Amino acid sequence: MGIKTVLSKSDFIKLLSGYSLGELVRFEPIITGTVQTNYYLETTTGRYILRYYECRSEASVKFEVNLLNYLRKRDYPCPAVYKDKHGRYVNPHNGKPYVLFEFIQGTHIENPSVEQQKQLIKLVAKLHKLTRNYRPSYRTARWNYGVNLCKELAYQKAKEINTINSWKKLKWLEDELEKLQLPKSLPKGICHCDFHFSNILFEDGEIQAILDFDDANYTYLLLDLAFLIEPFIPEFKWNSWQSFGKTDSILDFTSARETVAEYMKHRQLNNNEIRHLFDVYKLSVLIDCLWYFERGKAEDFYEKRKIDALNRFGRDSFFREIFDEN
């Protein structure tokens, strides 16, 4: 599933010849990836990860490399990137870019403990603090999540599918995007945007590294926090939503409240962020809608149920549920 391009022993010998990382001992495909192709490499000097980017421009990969170098200099737990003999971090192979990363020992945990989830929240907040004033090179090579990008991608999806349903769904999404209140003063920086625990390495119960900055982009710092919270009851999911009535009570802020409180131990939200977490959370739902645009009828589908419930509840009630200590 994770290997889209098969590389041979001779390919790796050729690629490694450009680095000062020893001779190839063995290589092994990593099958857990879903977008890019990854290989584990062992040489006479150490162990490495080669990532072959199937669908990223060189500029997009350079965005990622520059970000990782910036974070590493500030003691953020992420993989190092290796230069070749000419000082280049990104090189082409058969028309696609590749990068050699540090191999970090660790395991992925499917069901992290409460304390391990707190570790992640702390590192999310640290990422945002470190990149609050970061101005990335090659920023325009990434999908920087916001209203305009969401509209653009939704239009592309509707045009590609080109059914009455897809155009209706586009109209609904555009109308919902227009309702969002996102002040220009909302802090921006780098969001990872894919803090799934398959992208986190643990060793002895502690986080060793945050991996896979392939979706990272320059956007509202609140967006990562929005992706981490889920103000809905656990039973309401993409494969069970149809068992609920349209006006059933599906909101539950217990987990979201705890996540936000933990985050604010490490990065305090300003008043604008507190007031507009509602809008950024709705934006995160609308972004999710893009990845599953073909799923469901425009009149009633999973993400629409979420947005409808939030619209009925309202921004002020959302604020009180998460931030009002009384």
Side-chain angles (χ1 to χ4, degrees), residues 232-238 240-241 244 250 302 305-306:
F232 292 88
I233 60 176
E235 297 80 10
F236 185 81
K237 299 182 182 297
W238 69 270
S240 63
W241 66 271
F244 292 84
I250 57 174
Y302 176 55
R305 285 285 187 94
K306 282 188 166 185

Side-chain angles (χ1 to χ4, degrees), residues 221-237:
L221 292 178
L222 278 178
L223 194 59
D224 267 342
L225 181 57
F227 283 136
L228 288 179
I229 66 176
E230 186 60 77
F232 292 88
I233 60 176
E235 297 80 10
F236 185 81
K237 299 182 182 297

Side-chain angles (χ1 to χ4, degrees), residues 309-320:
L310 291 167
N311 285 342
R312 288 194 300 271
F313 198 70
R315 182 181 294 101
D316 290 342
S317 296
F318 187 96
F319 159 77
R320 286 193 296 270

Side-chain angles (χ1 to χ4, degrees), residues 205-259:
E206 300 292 320
I207 293 179
Q208 297 301 300
I210 304 295
L211 308 176
D212 198 353
F213 285 75
D214 192 34
D215 289 327
N217 63 91
Y218 184 78
T219 183
Y220 304 108
L221 292 178
L222 278 178
L223 194 59
D224 267 342
L225 181 57
F227 283 136
L228 288 179
I229 66 176
E230 186 60 77
F232 292 88
I233 60 176
E235 297 80 10
F236 185 81
K237 299 182 182 297
W238 69 270
N239 57 354
S240 63
W241 66 271
Q242 289 175 308
S243 64
F244 292 84
K246 289 186 177 182
T247 59
D248 284 355
S249 177
I250 57 174
L251 291 168
D252 181 354
F253 289 88
T254 305
S255 174
R257 190 183 302 116
E258 292 172 352
T259 297

Side-chain angles (χ1 to χ4, degrees), residues 73-121:
K73 290 177 182 177
R74 289 156 180 81
D75 298 319
Y76 194 79
C78 58
V81 189
Y82 292 97
K83 295 179 182 179
D84 69 6
K85 294 175 182 178
H86 302 285
R88 296 184 296 249
Y89 291 103
V90 183
N91 286 289
H93 177 70
N94 292 337
K96 295 179 180 179
Y98 70 92
V99 172
L100 278 176
F101 291 100
E102 172 189 18
F103 172 83
I104 300 176
Q105 186 68 45
T107 58
H108 302 293
I109 298 177
E110 289 188 14
N111 297 300
S113 67
V114 171
E115 288 305 313
Q116 288 167 338
Q117 292 178 50
K118 287 182 178 179
Q119 288 181 45
L120 174 59
I121 294 168

Side-chain angles (χ1 to χ4, degrees), residues 274-289:
I274 288 171
R275 285 291 177 184
H276 294 282
L277 178 59
F278 173 80
D279 300 276
V280 177
Y281 181 76
K282 285 177 64 179
L283 175 62
S284 75
V285 176
L286 295 171
I287 290 170
D288 280 344
C289 182

Side-chain angles (χ1 to χ4, degrees), residues 147-186:
V147 169
N148 290 337
L149 178 71
C150 201
K151 286 182 179 178
E152 178 184 337
L153 295 179
Y155 176 78
Q156 291 175 11
K157 290 281 188 180
K159 186 177 180 181
E160 177 184 326
I161 300 167
N162 196 26
T163 62
I164 293 175
N165 189 65
S166 70
W167 292 111
K168 285 182 177 180
K169 187 173 281 192
L170 172 65
K171 178 64 168 60
W172 170 84
L173 191 142
E174 289 175 337
D175 289 345
E176 291 300 330
L177 287 169
E178 289 299 321
K179 296 176 185 177
L180 300 181
Q181 295 182 19
L182 299 167
K184 291 183 179 180
S185 58
L186 281 176

Side-chain angles (χ1 to χ4, degrees), residues 8-166:
S8 66
K9 181 178 180 179
S10 61
D11 287 323
F12 290 117
I13 292 173
K14 178 181 178 181
L15 296 179
L16 284 170
S17 69
Y19 295 79
S20 300
L21 297 174
E23 303 297 321
L24 180 68
V25 174
R26 72 184 185 95
F27 65 93
E28 184 178 324
I30 299 173
I31 62 173
T32 54
T34 56
V35 180
Q36 315 303 346
T37 291
N38 299 287
Y39 280 88
Y40 166 83
L41 302 182
E42 186 175 335
T43 76
T44 51
T45 65
R47 295 182 290 176
Y48 310 93
I49 299 295
L50 183 142
R51 168 163 283 195
Y52 188 69
Y53 289 85
E54 302 287 355
C55 54
R56 294 287 183 265
S57 67
E58 180 179 328
S60 177
V61 177
K62 286 181 176 179
F63 172 100
E64 182 176 346
V65 166
N66 288 350
L67 172 62
L68 290 172
N69 287 335
Y70 175 88
L71 293 174
R72 290 276 300 187
K73 290 177 182 177
R74 289 156 180 81
D75 298 319
Y76 194 79
C78 58
V81 189
Y82 292 97
K83 295 179 182 179
D84 69 6
K85 294 175 182 178
H86 302 285
R88 296 184 296 249
Y89 291 103
V90 183
N91 286 289
H93 177 70
N94 292 337
K96 295 179 180 179
Y98 70 92
V99 172
L100 278 176
F101 291 100
E102 172 189 18
F103 172 83
I104 300 176
Q105 186 68 45
T107 58
H108 302 293
I109 298 177
E110 289 188 14
N111 297 300
S113 67
V114 171
E115 288 305 313
Q116 288 167 338
Q117 292 178 50
K118 287 182 178 179
Q119 288 181 45
L120 174 59
I121 294 168
K122 180 179 180 179
L123 285 175
V124 174
K126 182 177 181 180
L127 173 66
H128 298 163
K129 289 174 73 174
L130 288 175
T131 63
R132 174 69 176 82
N133 297 310
Y134 177 61
R135 296 294 178 267
S137 301
Y138 306 104
R139 185 177 74 183
T140 57
R142 285 283 167 130
W143 282 354
N144 300 301
Y145 290 151
V147 169
N148 290 337
L149 178 71
C150 201
K151 286 182 179 178
E152 178 184 337
L153 295 179
Y155 176 78
Q156 291 175 11
K157 290 281 188 180
K159 186 177 180 181
E160 177 184 326
I161 300 167
N162 196 26
T163 62
I164 293 175
N165 189 65
S166 70

